[in-house]
Structure formats: structure tokens, C-alpha cells
Amino acid sequence: STGKPKGVMVPHSGIINRIQWMQEEYKLDRKDIVLQKTPYSFDVSVWEFFWPLMFGNKMVIAKPNGHKDPNYLADLIEKERVTTLHFVPSMLAVFLYADEIEEKCSSLKRVFCSGEALSFEHERRFFDRIKSSELHNLYGPTEASIDVSYWQCLPDNEDFVLPIGKPIANTQLYILDNSLKMLPIGVAGELFIGGAGLAHGYINKPELTEKKFVQNPFDKTGKSKLYKTGDLAKYREDGTI
């Protein structure tokens, strides 16, 4: 997304933690069918492949470049009775203008969004057009095993800024100032990530690794790191971000 490709070393344990959390939170049953449509050069494809495979579910693989064709996707969802899929919010916005999606998408149970900010307008139009499905807003960088926080959208939401929610299992999120001090509720600061999903760093880029993966000031053993996201965030009264 930055135009400067870089390799990040993500441990298998971080991916396993991410997928096990997803199953515990959303619980695929034997009737669920997952659509795999994200190009496998993007990190979302990892859970699209391995979530259904780990728990014995059917996976439908879209044709090459099918993720760019909303009418093809709607027809595929209807034909295969897909229950679960992912959209980047900008593609969700396009998909929601596809023909007859109310009828074609009646099998959907859960739609996940990540990769960009999910807007109030996306949320409102989704619930206007797809009545059967939940909509979930996930947030996270590749440097932390795909996603680190989650939020379930609501049809009656009136908040124009959608939260990214709370951390997934075995993950810590901190909102810190320039001195790496915790900030209080309502005060914006930089979001830092710690926990099981954290990458080991960037391959062959030690300076970038040192800049982005900093010593965790809350770990008295001095053995863990935090990932410096560069994103601004704040806590709400209920602890959501």
C-alpha cells in the first residue's frame, strides 16, 4: 500500500492465535461456507484459506480477478450458498450496488471488513441492502498477524466514526504519547500493538525494524516489543478504541 514492498517475518504461532480466536469468536459450524477471493499476496487470504481448512468447512475459491467483479461475486454467493466472506471497505461500497444482492446474498451470515477505514455510509448501506448478515469491522497490520482488534457493527448505529473495537485474544493495544506513556480516555495518541501476533521484524531491514518494533515499556523482563503503527486512536468510555 505504501508503494515500497517489504517482507515481514510473521511467526506461525501468531497466525494460529489469530485463526483460533476467529473460530472462538465467530464459530463456523458444519454448514458454513467460506468464500476465498483475496489475492494470496495479501494477508487476509491467510485466514480465508486456513480458517475453513482448520475446522472442516467448505471453501469456495473465486476465479482469478473475480474479487473485482461485484455481479460475479453476487452470483457466486447465491450459487454456492456462501455464508462468510471478506471485503476491503472500498470494494464493499462497489459490491453494495450490484444487481439483486438482497436476494442473491440471502445465505450470508457474516461479512468482515478490514484493510481500510469502514465508514458510517458503508455500514448504513450494508444493512439497507443485506438484511441477513452481520457486519464486522476488523483492524490490524500485517506486522501483527493480520488483525488485532474487532468490532461488530449495528443496524441502528448513529455514530459517524466507527470504532475498531477491542483487542483479539492474547493481544495488547496501547494508546501512548511521544514518551510512551499511557494516555487517558478521550485523548488521542499513537496506537501500539503487543502480544502473540507480533512479527519478528522486517527481513534485511534492521533500521526499519528497530524504528517500528520498540522495547515494550510495560514488560519488566525487557524481552518483548511493541509495534508502532503510526495510527492515531483514542479510548472511549467503555474501553473501545
Side-chain angles (χ1 to χ4, degrees):
S1 61
T2 62
K4 297 179 180 179
K6 54 191 180 295
V8 63
M9 296 178 284
V10 176
H12 288 168
S13 58
I15 297 298
I16 292 169
N17 179 73
R18 166 65 179 72
I19 295 172
Q20 286 181 329
W21 161 81
M22 202 169 197
Q23 178 64 8
E24 289 169 8
E25 183 65 26
Y26 303 111
K27 296 180 177 62
L28 291 179
D29 63 35
R30 294 304 180 191
K31 296 179 181 178
D32 277 311
I33 298 170
V34 178
L35 178 60
Q36 197 291 309
K37 66 178 185 61
T38 304
Y40 56 77
S41 57
F42 289 88
D43 59 358
V44 169
S45 69
V46 174
W47 72 250
E48 286 181 340
F49 280 115
F50 290 105
W51 187 22
L53 292 179
M54 281 178 69
F55 296 99
N57 287 88
K58 179 178 177 179
M59 176 177 60
V60 173
I61 301 179
K63 68 181 182 181
N65 294 315
H67 65 288
K68 300 177 181 180
D69 185 340
N71 290 314
Y72 162 76
L73 291 176
D75 289 340
L76 185 62
I77 291 165
E78 180 181 39
K79 176 184 176 184
E80 299 289 349
R81 306 303 295 164
V82 169
T83 66
T84 305
L85 80 160
H86 172 274
F87 280 107
V88 174
S90 55
M91 188 59 206
L92 176 66
V94 175
F95 176 76
L96 291 174
Y97 284 93
D99 298 333
E100 302 174 6
I101 62 167
E102 294 92 337
E103 296 79 15
K104 291 180 179 179
C105 294
S106 62
S107 63
L108 285 181
K109 290 167 56 177
R110 55 185 82 81
V111 172
F112 297 99
C113 275
S114 67
E116 302 165 355
L118 182 63
S119 73
F120 175 80
E121 290 76 17
H122 293 145
E123 178 192 55
R124 181 61 56 86
R125 183 159 183 81
F126 178 89
F127 288 117
D128 284 345
R129 296 217 65 189
I130 302 178
K131 310 294 186 185
S132 62
S133 178
E134 298 173 350
L135 179 64
H136 298 276
N137 187 30
L138 306 181
Y139 163 85
T142 307
E143 288 87 347
S145 299
I146 313 171
D147 297 303
V148 296
S149 72
Y150 65 109
W151 172 261
Q152 182 170 345
C153 300
L154 301 170
D156 57 354
N157 172 50
E158 295 183 354
D159 194 331
F160 286 96
V161 179
L162 302 187
I164 61 169
K166 295 184 178 182
I168 72 168
N170 304 307
T171 300
Q172 297 82 49
L173 301 180
Y174 301 97
I175 299 173
L176 308 178
D177 64 14
N178 291 335
S179 301
L180 301 187
K181 303 294 185 184
M182 292 275 288
L183 289 168
I185 289 170
V187 177
E190 186 171 359
L191 185 63
F192 288 74
I193 302 167
L198 219 61
H200 296 313
Y202 300 104
I203 190 167
N204 298 328
K205 291 184 179 290
E207 288 132 7
L208 184 61
T209 297
E210 185 175 353
K211 178 181 177 182
K212 299 292 283 184
F213 293 86
V214 300
Q215 203 68 41
N216 184 350
F218 310 106
D219 179 5
K220 294 181 180 179
T221 69
K223 295 180 179 180
S224 66
K225 302 279 189 177
L226 296 179
Y227 175 67
K228 181 178 167 63
T229 69
D231 292 333
L232 290 177
K234 64 181 178 181
Y235 289 111
R236 291 182 166 178
E237 293 288 341
D238 64 356
T240 60
I241 294 172

mmCIF file of all heavy atoms in Angstrom, residues 17 144 147-149 166-174 193-198:
data_model
loop_
_atom_site.group_PDB
_atom_site.id
_atom_site.type_symbol
_atom_site.label_atom_id
_atom_site.label_comp_id
_atom_site.label_asym_id
_atom_site.label_seq_id
_atom_site.Cartn_x
_atom_site.Cartn_y
_atom_site.Cartn_z
ATOM 1 N N ASN A 17 -2.832 -18.231 16.525
ATOM 2 C CA ASN A 17 -3.586 -17.479 17.527
ATOM 3 C C ASN A 17 -4.718 -16.692 16.879
ATOM 4 O O ASN A 17 -5.854 -16.669 17.369
ATOM 5 C CB ASN A 17 -2.655 -16.522 18.269
ATOM 6 C CG ASN A 17 -3.386 -15.688 19.311
ATOM 7 O OD1 ASN A 17 -3.776 -16.173 20.358
ATOM 8 N ND2 ASN A 17 -3.583 -14.410 19.016
ATOM 9 N N ALA A 144 1.368 -7.665 12.556
ATOM 10 C CA ALA A 144 0.814 -8.260 13.778
ATOM 11 C C ALA A 144 -0.153 -9.394 13.446
ATOM 12 O O ALA A 144 -1.202 -9.535 14.079
ATOM 13 C CB ALA A 144 0.141 -7.196 14.638
ATOM 14 N N ASP A 147 -4.950 -9.266 11.895
ATOM 15 C CA ASP A 147 -5.873 -8.375 12.613
ATOM 16 C C ASP A 147 -5.582 -8.410 14.101
ATOM 17 O O ASP A 147 -5.194 -9.448 14.657
ATOM 18 C CB ASP A 147 -7.335 -8.796 12.392
ATOM 19 C CG ASP A 147 -7.754 -8.702 10.943
ATOM 20 O OD1 ASP A 147 -7.639 -7.604 10.370
ATOM 21 O OD2 ASP A 147 -8.187 -9.726 10.389
ATOM 22 N N VAL A 148 -5.823 -7.269 14.761
ATOM 23 C CA VAL A 148 -5.574 -7.199 16.201
ATOM 24 C C VAL A 148 -6.781 -6.706 16.989
ATOM 25 O O VAL A 148 -6.784 -6.767 18.213
ATOM 26 C CB VAL A 148 -4.368 -6.287 16.519
ATOM 27 C CG1 VAL A 148 -3.087 -6.868 15.935
ATOM 28 C CG2 VAL A 148 -4.589 -4.865 16.022
ATOM 29 N N SER A 149 -7.811 -6.201 16.306
ATOM 30 C CA SER A 149 -8.995 -5.737 17.029
ATOM 31 C C SER A 149 -10.240 -6.015 16.210
ATOM 32 O O SER A 149 -10.170 -6.247 14.995
ATOM 33 C CB SER A 149 -8.899 -4.238 17.349
ATOM 34 O OG SER A 149 -9.072 -3.461 16.174
ATOM 35 N N LYS A 166 -12.012 -3.719 20.335
ATOM 36 C CA LYS A 166 -11.121 -4.163 21.405
ATOM 37 C C LYS A 166 -10.176 -5.232 20.869
ATOM 38 O O LYS A 166 -10.428 -5.829 19.821
ATOM 39 C CB LYS A 166 -11.950 -4.708 22.573
ATOM 40 C CG LYS A 166 -12.808 -3.633 23.229
ATOM 41 C CD LYS A 166 -13.560 -4.158 24.449
ATOM 42 C CE LYS A 166 -14.353 -3.042 25.106
ATOM 43 N NZ LYS A 166 -15.072 -3.495 26.330
ATOM 44 N N PRO A 167 -9.081 -5.500 21.595
ATOM 45 C CA PRO A 167 -8.088 -6.445 21.073
ATOM 46 C C PRO A 167 -8.589 -7.887 21.022
ATOM 47 O O PRO A 167 -9.416 -8.303 21.841
ATOM 48 C CB PRO A 167 -6.911 -6.307 22.039
ATOM 49 C CG PRO A 167 -7.477 -5.700 23.272
ATOM 50 C CD PRO A 167 -8.622 -4.851 22.835
ATOM 51 N N ILE A 168 -8.077 -8.635 20.050
ATOM 52 C CA ILE A 168 -8.367 -10.055 19.972
ATOM 53 C C ILE A 168 -7.574 -10.791 21.053
ATOM 54 O O ILE A 168 -6.789 -10.185 21.794
ATOM 55 C CB ILE A 168 -8.043 -10.618 18.571
ATOM 56 C CG1 ILE A 168 -6.523 -10.691 18.349
ATOM 57 C CG2 ILE A 168 -8.693 -9.790 17.487
ATOM 58 C CD1 ILE A 168 -6.121 -11.496 17.121
ATOM 59 N N ALA A 169 -7.752 -12.092 21.154
ATOM 60 C CA ALA A 169 -7.101 -12.895 22.191
ATOM 61 C C ALA A 169 -5.580 -12.749 22.173
ATOM 62 O O ALA A 169 -4.963 -12.678 21.108
ATOM 63 C CB ALA A 169 -7.473 -14.364 22.002
ATOM 64 N N ASN A 170 -5.010 -12.693 23.369
ATOM 65 C CA ASN A 170 -3.549 -12.686 23.553
ATOM 66 C C ASN A 170 -2.867 -11.521 22.850
ATOM 67 O O ASN A 170 -1.716 -11.623 22.401
ATOM 68 C CB ASN A 170 -2.951 -14.015 23.067
ATOM 69 C CG ASN A 170 -3.583 -15.202 23.755
ATOM 70 O OD1 ASN A 170 -3.641 -15.256 24.978
ATOM 71 N ND2 ASN A 170 -4.100 -16.144 22.978
ATOM 72 N N THR A 171 -3.585 -10.403 22.767
ATOM 73 C CA THR A 171 -3.088 -9.206 22.090
ATOM 74 C C THR A 171 -3.309 -8.001 22.992
ATOM 75 O O THR A 171 -4.329 -7.912 23.668
ATOM 76 C CB THR A 171 -3.835 -9.001 20.752
ATOM 77 O OG1 THR A 171 -3.619 -10.151 19.931
ATOM 78 C CG2 THR A 171 -3.364 -7.763 20.024
ATOM 79 N N GLN A 172 -2.350 -7.094 23.005
ATOM 80 C CA GLN A 172 -2.490 -5.866 23.788
ATOM 81 C C GLN A 172 -2.416 -4.652 22.855
ATOM 82 O O GLN A 172 -1.585 -4.615 21.945
ATOM 83 C CB GLN A 172 -1.383 -5.745 24.850
ATOM 84 C CG GLN A 172 -1.393 -6.839 25.899
ATOM 85 C CD GLN A 172 -0.699 -8.103 25.429
ATOM 86 O OE1 GLN A 172 0.417 -8.045 24.909
ATOM 87 N NE2 GLN A 172 -1.338 -9.247 25.612
ATOM 88 N N LEU A 173 -3.298 -3.700 23.103
ATOM 89 C CA LEU A 173 -3.287 -2.435 22.370
ATOM 90 C C LEU A 173 -3.077 -1.305 23.364
ATOM 91 O O LEU A 173 -3.737 -1.242 24.401
ATOM 92 C CB LEU A 173 -4.611 -2.237 21.615
ATOM 93 C CG LEU A 173 -4.972 -3.310 20.587
ATOM 94 C CD1 LEU A 173 -6.297 -2.976 19.917
ATOM 95 C CD2 LEU A 173 -3.873 -3.457 19.533
ATOM 96 N N TYR A 174 -2.154 -0.408 23.045
ATOM 97 C CA TYR A 174 -1.831 0.719 23.909
ATOM 98 C C TYR A 174 -1.933 2.013 23.110
ATOM 99 O O TYR A 174 -1.499 2.067 21.961
ATOM 100 C CB TYR A 174 -0.405 0.605 24.453
ATOM 101 C CG TYR A 174 -0.124 -0.642 25.253
ATOM 102 C CD1 TYR A 174 0.476 -1.744 24.657
ATOM 103 C CD2 TYR A 174 -0.438 -0.711 26.609
ATOM 104 C CE1 TYR A 174 0.755 -2.891 25.378
ATOM 105 C CE2 TYR A 174 -0.158 -1.857 27.349
ATOM 106 C CZ TYR A 174 0.436 -2.941 26.729
ATOM 107 O OH TYR A 174 0.707 -4.076 27.457
ATOM 108 N N ILE A 193 0.969 -1.979 19.342
ATOM 109 C CA ILE A 193 0.446 -3.341 19.435
ATOM 110 C C ILE A 193 1.485 -4.246 20.077
ATOM 111 O O ILE A 193 2.667 -4.213 19.728
ATOM 112 C CB ILE A 193 0.108 -3.892 18.041
ATOM 113 C CG1 ILE A 193 -0.909 -3.000 17.328
ATOM 114 C CG2 ILE A 193 -0.412 -5.334 18.125
ATOM 115 C CD1 ILE A 193 -1.060 -3.305 15.845
ATOM 116 N N GLY A 194 1.027 -5.099 20.991
ATOM 117 C CA GLY A 194 1.886 -6.116 21.576
ATOM 118 C C GLY A 194 1.156 -7.443 21.656
ATOM 119 O O GLY A 194 -0.047 -7.517 21.437
ATOM 120 N N GLY A 195 1.914 -8.503 21.959
ATOM 121 C CA GLY A 195 1.267 -9.785 22.170
ATOM 122 C C GLY A 195 1.674 -10.866 21.196
ATOM 123 O O GLY A 195 2.683 -10.766 20.479
ATOM 124 N N ALA A 196 0.821 -11.912 21.129
ATOM 125 C CA ALA A 196 1.175 -13.160 20.438
ATOM 126 C C ALA A 196 1.373 -12.994 18.939
ATOM 127 O O ALA A 196 2.131 -13.748 18.332
ATOM 128 C CB ALA A 196 0.080 -14.193 20.697
ATOM 129 N N GLY A 197 0.706 -12.036 18.321
ATOM 130 C CA GLY A 197 0.758 -11.932 16.867
ATOM 131 C C GLY A 197 1.917 -11.148 16.317
ATOM 132 O O GLY A 197 2.105 -11.093 15.094
ATOM 133 N N LEU A 198 2.711 -10.534 17.183
ATOM 134 C CA LEU A 198 3.728 -9.603 16.697
ATOM 135 C C LEU A 198 4.782 -10.289 15.823
ATOM 136 O O LEU A 198 5.269 -11.370 16.139
ATOM 137 C CB LEU A 198 4.418 -8.934 17.889
ATOM 138 C CG LEU A 198 4.759 -7.450 17.715
ATOM 139 C CD1 LEU A 198 3.491 -6.648 17.501
ATOM 140 C CD2 LEU A 198 5.516 -6.944 18.918
#
